[in-house]
């Protein structure tokens, strides 16, 4: 076996989490199952009040420091961006993998991502596709799709094929050059960060065209945070405009697409009022884009149908005409 050594090809996983004890064992088990022999883990417990810190400590104690060294740090709570930045500054690897405390990685993710970055010095990041799972790990039948062309800042903000930060591998040099994670944001933290990495140079991202991450959805996860998500996404778009990474028209397209996506997620969680609100907002934001988007009509019709009595609405859902959360948007 190869020992962990800093330098070319070395990998550090940064895991920032808070109160993830219900799901953390599965996440850590997916780390143990990686086929990459040697990598470092820097985990930050961001002020947990459950068993998260103890779980991380036990994982560190059981790890082989020669091959898979683990550093556990405790803070805060200071927020996800600050916790990730702390881990990133401590990381010794040339390549960084971001991981959340409730997602699951496929065993060959690290090897495939590292090999892809090693193929070309022009690449700064490699990202996997993902599949949604429920709280108990059940497959929800939705997965992301690879973009039609090279990933640009505009494609990221309009369609976001990354969606989940977990499993994305980025060169530490690029992460530092992009300016770390924005600690003033309370949401869309990864989206903002990946946009800045993408603007470092053209064609610097590669897609690993398989679902190599299981991204966990939990009840109330979207609707409870809808206002915060909307506020943070608007701020990310404003930052992109100031950086001249995105024009006014593109920012409107991105906001409309995001609102339609929020509508689908709210509908999937049976928050039909939020689904109708986001659908209407999407059409007001960019009616031309919505008119050219075939599934926008379906989503608008189903969102409107949700005001019908349940004995009329539920058969529509069962018929397959239901509005579904599509990660590719």
């Amino acid at each position: 076996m190869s020992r962990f050594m800093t330098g070319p090809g070395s990998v550090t996983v940064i895991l920032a989490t808070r109160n993830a004890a219900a799901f953390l064992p599965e996440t850590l088990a997916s780390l143990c199952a990686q086929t990459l022999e040697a990598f470092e883990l820097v985990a930050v417990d961001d002020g947990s009040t459950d068993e998260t810190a103890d779980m991380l400590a036990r994982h560190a104690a059981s790890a082989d420091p020669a091959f898979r060294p683990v550093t556990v740090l405790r803070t805060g709570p200071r927020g996800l961006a600050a916790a990730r930045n702390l881990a990133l500054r401590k990381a010794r690897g040339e390549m960084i993998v971001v991981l959340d405390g409730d997602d699951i990685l496929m065993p060959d993710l690290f090897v495939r991502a590292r090999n892809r970055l090693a193929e070309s010095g022009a690449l700064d990041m490699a990202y996997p596709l993902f599949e949604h799972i429920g709280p108990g790990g059940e497959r929800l039948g939705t997965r992301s799709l690879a973009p039609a062309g090279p990933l640009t800042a505009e494609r990221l903000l309009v369609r976001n094929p990354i969606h989940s930060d977990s499993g994305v591998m980025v060169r530490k040099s690029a992460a530092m050059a992009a300016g770390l994670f924005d600690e003033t944001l309370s949401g869309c933290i990864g989206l903002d960060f990946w946009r800045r990495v993408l603007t470092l140079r053209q064609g610097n991202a590669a897609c690993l065209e398989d679902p190599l991450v299981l991204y966990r959805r939990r009840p109330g996860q979207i609707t409870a945070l809808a206002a915060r998500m909307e506020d943070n996404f608007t701020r990310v778009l404003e930052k992109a405009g100031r950086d001249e990474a995105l024009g006014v028209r593109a920012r409107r397209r991105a906001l409309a697409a995001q609102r339609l996506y929020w509508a689908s997620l709210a509908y999937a969680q049976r928050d039909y009022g939020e689904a109708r609100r986001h659908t209407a907002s999407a059409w007001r934001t960019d009616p031309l884009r919505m008119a050219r988007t075939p599934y926008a009509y379906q989503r608008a019709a189903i969102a409107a149908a949700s005001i019908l009595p349940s004995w009329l609405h539920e058969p529509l859902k069962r018929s397959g005409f239901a509005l579904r959360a599509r990660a590719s948007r």
Side-chain angles (χ1 to χ4, degrees):
M1 292 181 65
S2 300
R3 292 174 174 267
F4 175 78
M5 299 180 65
T6 60
S10 57
V11 173
T12 296
V13 182
I14 61 170
L15 168 62
T17 191
R18 181 194 300 168
N19 292 338
F23 309 108
L24 189 58
E26 289 181 273
T27 300
L28 295 176
S30 75
L31 276 182
C32 293
Q34 288 298 307
T35 56
L36 183 66
E37 292 181 342
F39 58 85
E40 175 186 44
L41 170 63
V42 179
V44 177
D45 171 35
D46 186 38
S48 294
T49 57
D50 62 4
E51 298 300 313
T52 294
D54 292 338
M55 289 179 177
L56 291 174
R58 287 195 296 270
H59 179 75
S62 65
D64 187 334
F67 299 95
R68 295 184 173 182
V70 177
T71 299
V72 178
L73 306 170
R74 298 197 69 179
T75 65
R78 297 173 53 194
L80 178 61
R84 283 183 178 175
N85 286 339
L86 176 60
L88 185 54
R89 292 187 182 101
K90 294 286 186 180
R92 295 178 293 164
E94 180 202 19
M95 300 176 187
I96 306 297
V97 178
V98 178
L99 180 60
D100 289 334
D102 56 356
D103 297 331
I104 299 172
L105 309 178
M106 296 297 99
D108 59 342
L109 172 58
F110 291 179
V111 168
R112 290 183 57 177
R114 189 181 69 167
N115 289 348
R116 188 69 182 89
L117 289 180
E119 290 174 4
S120 174
L123 292 175
D124 290 320
M125 58 184 283
Y127 61 96
L129 301 182
F130 71 90
E131 184 175 352
H132 279 159
I133 59 174
E138 66 277 13
R139 306 291 178 102
L140 299 181
T142 55
R143 53 167 288 180
S144 59
L145 299 175
L151 186 60
T152 62
E154 181 173 346
R155 276 200 174 101
L156 176 74
L157 293 174
V158 172
R159 299 188 68 84
N160 190 12
I162 295 179
H163 191 70
S164 167
D165 299 335
S166 288
V168 181
M169 183 177 285
V170 60
R171 297 185 192 276
K172 184 175 181 180
S173 58
M176 303 304 285
L180 302 179
F181 294 91
D182 186 344
E183 298 182 17
T184 69
L185 294 173
S186 59
C188 302
I189 294 163
L191 188 71
D192 172 70
F193 179 71
W194 304 127
R195 176 194 67 81
R196 287 183 279 117
V197 171
L198 288 169
T199 58
L200 293 175
R201 49 181 174 166
Q202 290 185 339
N204 67 342
C207 178
L208 307 172
E209 297 187 2
D210 287 303
L212 300 174
V213 174
L214 300 181
Y215 176 64
R216 197 180 303 271
R217 286 280 180 214
R218 287 174 273 162
Q221 185 178 28
I222 298 303
T223 54
L225 304 178
R228 192 181 78 181
M229 288 172 58
E230 191 163 2
D231 174 66
N232 281 280
F233 188 76
T234 301
R235 290 176 59 194
V236 170
L237 291 182
E238 290 172 351
K239 289 178 64 178
R242 290 196 299 270
D243 297 343
E244 298 184 356
L246 217 61
V248 174
R249 185 78 184 87
R251 293 202 298 275
R252 288 220 315 266
R253 284 200 304 271
L255 186 56
Q258 188 72 13
R259 283 172 169 164
L260 198 62
Y261 178 55
W262 292 334
S264 71
L265 294 175
Y267 187 94
Q269 296 188 8
R270 296 178 179 270
D271 191 337
Y272 300 134
E274 277 294 287
R276 291 192 296 270
R277 183 179 75 83
H278 284 303
T279 300
S281 184
W283 280 85
R284 286 196 301 270
T285 300
D286 193 345
L288 182 59
R289 173 180 169 80
M290 293 298 100
R292 292 176 176 176
T293 304
Y295 59 81
Y297 292 96
Q298 177 188 6
R299 296 185 179 190
I302 282 295
S306 67
I307 66 174
L308 296 172
S310 61
W311 64 272
L312 285 175
H313 179 217
E314 292 300 323
L316 285 176
K317 293 172 63 177
R318 289 193 295 271
S319 72
F321 186 57
L323 181 66
R324 294 188 179 274
R326 289 180 50 183
S328 61
R329 300 194 293 295

